[in-house]
Amino acid sequence: MSDPLIQIRGLHKYFGRHRVLRGIDLDIPAGQTLILLGPNGAGKTTLLRILSTLSRPTQGQVQVAGVNTSANPEGIRQYLGMVSHAPLLYDDLSAAENLEFYARLYGLQDPGHRVQELLKQVELYHRRKDLVRTFSRGMTQRLAIARALLHNPPILLLDEPDTGLDPQAAELMTDLLRDIGGRERTIVMTTHHLDRGFALADQVAILAGGKLVLNIPASQISAPELRPLYDRLVNQQRRKA
Amino acid sequence: MKRYFQVVWAVLWKDVRIEWRTKDMFTSMAVFAVLALLIFNFAFELRVPDKRMVVPGVLWVAVAFSGVLGLGRAFINEKDKGSLAGLLLAPVDRSAIYLGKMLANFLFILVVEAFILPLITVFFNVAIISLPLLLILFLGTLGFSAVGTVFSALAVNTRAREVLLPVLLFPVLLPVLLAGIRATIGFLEGETLVDNLNWLRMIGFFDILFLVVAFLTFDYVVEE
């Protein structure tokens, strides 16, 4: 078996005296979609922020493509695209201006062409000149996905991208994520929507109380089995804490 | 290196474009500066025989306090709307982001200064605008923006961020403010640039010091 694209070993994270992550070990192979489930406060966002180099681990190592994220965060960021529940966009810039700005930050050679292509892909080309503040939540999140894909990163980190979306918009986003996934892109996605997440997953992990309590291939479990297993593992961890 | 300055320019242009549309920062800074000038004007009206005695202090206090309002907004807007993470995710040396934000703040404060200088002339009836004064204001504002941008990024992650910024900033900025006031007094009394070279050197020294420290520390300041 080939080396995993993302390798996490003995990861701990403290905020002051509060321990958020407790000894996480996790391998994510290239081209796989990992769905990270867990209740609020489980440490999902912290884990993604460490993977994205926005935060440093207190202890342990994270390697992306064999490179330690703490040793070369600037280089690692070229491999990463991130979408979070906050869209990371500017309300007072238009859709095209937002993407053009980020395209310059990522040093794209032909930003205009790439921006146009992505706006068409997320079905926002007709609104390209409108300010983001006039967009619905669903449109904003689609634009956020376009922003994350600008530099065509091999790894996509999605932190509850479906938060605040109505079912129709969430369905649209799931379809979009399925389209942009494929075998050549590795996706790590946190979500509270078990069914929606499971539909995309190659690998399912559950984080509870800062610990990884489950990490299995999605093929080893069915969607109806996931909910009771999730409830049992999260409650077990709660009782231990 | 070309890529580095492309990022600096992108961040600067983005801030200018947003400010041009919203006028958030300029409005709050300019209104505050005008109010400060009005209050000083009334306060000194009866007791001060020669207004030239107080104008240097009034000028630098108005610049410092209105500037701190603008600096405060620089990262609060980014943080509250979540776009700060977007900036920090870019695969660039984060000092380029610092430099872009710093230059934007520098520019906004210069614009406010251009707005308040004629007002001081009118309110206090003192011909204050001169090339040496513009030079000292330029250098003082550079130091102010250099250190203020770092402290703004530092304060944005704290609960008392609006209060913390001036509390952190003004003690550090004191040498620049004092040198600026002393040089302005000299210019108003008819001294030349050469007479005030020591004050200029002092501001220049602190500008360089602030910039170097800011470049070295910004990455740590914005990281969790």
Side-chain angles (χ1 to χ4, degrees):
Chain A
M1 196 174 152
S2 63
D3 286 339
L5 185 63
I6 300 173
Q7 194 175 50
I8 302 171
R9 288 289 175 268
L11 181 68
H12 291 263
K13 179 71 183 179
Y14 290 78
F15 287 116
R17 292 169 67 183
H18 180 59
R19 190 152 60 151
V20 182
L21 295 175
R22 302 157 181 252
I24 306 286
D25 292 309
L26 183 64
D27 287 343
I28 308 167
Q32 297 276 296
T33 298
L34 170 80
I35 300 300
L36 192 58
L37 305 168
N40 288 332
K44 302 185 299 294
T45 297
T46 304
L47 180 57
L48 249 62
R49 288 181 72 84
I50 291 173
L51 281 177
S52 68
T53 76
L54 285 174
S55 184
R56 276 180 198 266
T58 309
Q59 199 183 319
Q61 271 198 358
V62 178
Q63 289 194 345
V64 174
V67 180
N68 192 324
T69 53
S70 301
N72 184 13
E74 204 181 304
I76 296 291
R77 280 182 224 129
Q78 191 68 51
Y79 290 98
L80 305 171
M82 188 167 187
V83 179
S84 76
H85 37 267
L88 320 186
L89 296 166
Y90 294 92
D91 285 350
D92 295 300
L93 295 181
S94 71
E97 285 169 345
N98 262 290
L99 295 190
E100 279 160 13
F101 166 63
Y102 279 107
R104 288 196 181 94
L105 289 195
Y106 282 90
L108 298 196
Q109 292 303 316
D110 185 6
H113 177 73
R114 180 72 178 143
V115 166
Q116 203 171 319
E117 183 185 34
L118 281 166
L119 283 170
K120 283 177 183 163
Q121 193 180 349
V122 298
E123 296 172 24
L124 286 172
Y125 187 72
H126 63 295
R127 297 289 304 268
R128 65 191 179 281
K129 289 182 181 166
D130 295 344
L131 297 185
V132 168
R133 64 165 65 255
T134 65
F135 284 13
S136 69
R137 171 81 182 148
M139 290 161 76
T140 308
Q141 280 305 78
R142 268 157 40 214
L143 187 63
I145 290 178
R147 180 196 53 73
L149 292 174
L150 270 168
H151 54 302
N152 202 15
I155 300 170
L156 205 52
L157 305 173
L158 308 168
D159 187 15
E160 298 176 24
D162 47 5
T163 301
L165 297 183
D166 60 51
Q168 205 180 358
E171 202 52 49
L172 200 67
M173 169 159 288
T174 308
D175 292 343
L176 184 61
L177 291 176
R178 202 172 278 126
D179 287 349
I180 61 175
R183 293 298 94 183
E184 72 281 1
R185 209 180 312 268
T186 307
I187 297 179
V188 182
M189 175 172 157
T190 71
T191 181
H192 286 293
H193 297 275
L194 270 59
D195 294 339
R196 208 179 291 146
F198 188 75
L200 293 166
D202 297 307
Q203 195 177 340
V204 180
I206 298 177
L207 201 60
K211 277 190 162 178
L212 200 63
V213 293
L214 181 83
N215 178 25
I216 55 169
S219 57
Q220 283 185 14
I221 192 169
S222 66
E225 289 168 331
L226 183 60
R227 170 57 70 182
L229 180 65
Y230 173 86
D231 289 339
R232 187 162 54 81
L233 290 170
V234 168
N235 286 333
Q236 259 176 15
Q237 196 57 38
R238 245 181 221 144
R239 278 196 293 274
K240 278 186 196 169
Chain B
M1 208 59 187
K2 188 184 166 201
R3 167 134 171 66
Y4 184 91
F5 285 104
Q6 273 174 348
V7 172
V8 173
W9 176 249
V11 174
L12 170 64
W13 184 238
K14 180 266 298 173
D15 276 359
V16 169
R17 186 175 280 194
I18 290 175
E19 183 57 25
W20 183 257
R21 277 185 192 151
T22 63
K23 310 211 171 34
D24 276 353
M25 227 188 256
F26 178 77
T27 308
S28 55
M29 287 162 78
V31 168
F32 183 89
V34 170
L35 286 174
L37 292 182
L38 271 174
I39 291 166
F40 279 129
N41 190 33
F42 288 126
F44 295 133
E45 181 81 17
L46 301 173
R47 309 285 292 175
V48 180
D50 183 356
K51 284 185 179 169
R52 273 186 304 183
M53 292 164 67
V54 294
V55 159
V58 170
L59 168 67
W60 284 91
V61 167
V63 167
F65 281 87
S66 59
V68 93
L69 276 183
L71 287 171
R73 301 304 312 162
F75 279 97
I76 287 175
N77 284 345
E78 299 272 6
K79 178 81 178 175
D80 289 352
K81 290 175 182 167
S83 45
L84 183 58
L87 284 180
L88 300 179
L89 281 167
V92 291
D93 189 328
R94 283 177 177 162
S95 66
I97 292 165
Y98 161 77
L99 192 57
K101 297 290 292 181
M102 190 281 284
L103 288 173
N105 291 333
F106 179 53
L107 191 67
F108 299 149
I109 298 172
L110 284 182
V111 170
V112 171
E113 285 168 0
F115 175 72
I116 62 177
L117 278 175
L119 289 180
I120 288 183
T121 308
V122 172
F123 286 166
F124 293 88
N125 199 21
V126 174
I128 191 171
I129 302 170
S130 64
L131 267 179
L133 179 88
L134 293 180
L135 177 66
I136 206 104
L137 261 180
F138 184 89
L139 289 175
T141 308
L142 181 64
F144 184 49
S145 311
V147 71
T149 303
V150 176
F151 282 143
S152 173
L154 186 71
V156 80
N157 286 316
T158 63
R159 263 180 291 180
R161 56 195 188 184
E162 309 270 8
V163 182
L164 192 64
L165 179 59
V167 169
L168 287 172
L169 182 59
F170 287 133
V172 176
L173 205 62
L174 214 54
V176 172
L177 287 177
L178 288 178
I181 292 169
R182 291 305 307 231
T184 309
I185 291 170
F187 297 142
L188 283 181
E189 286 175 353
E191 290 174 6
T192 63
L193 204 56
V194 178
D195 299 328
N196 286 282
L197 216 50
N198 283 340
W199 298 120
L200 270 172
R201 282 197 188 117
M202 186 168 160
I203 296 177
F205 168 77
F206 277 99
D207 284 359
I208 293 166
L209 182 71
F210 290 157
L211 279 168
V212 169
V213 172
F215 267 81
L216 294 176
T217 57
F218 186 73
D219 198 8
Y220 299 97
V221 165
V222 290
E223 200 164 60
E224 277 176 9

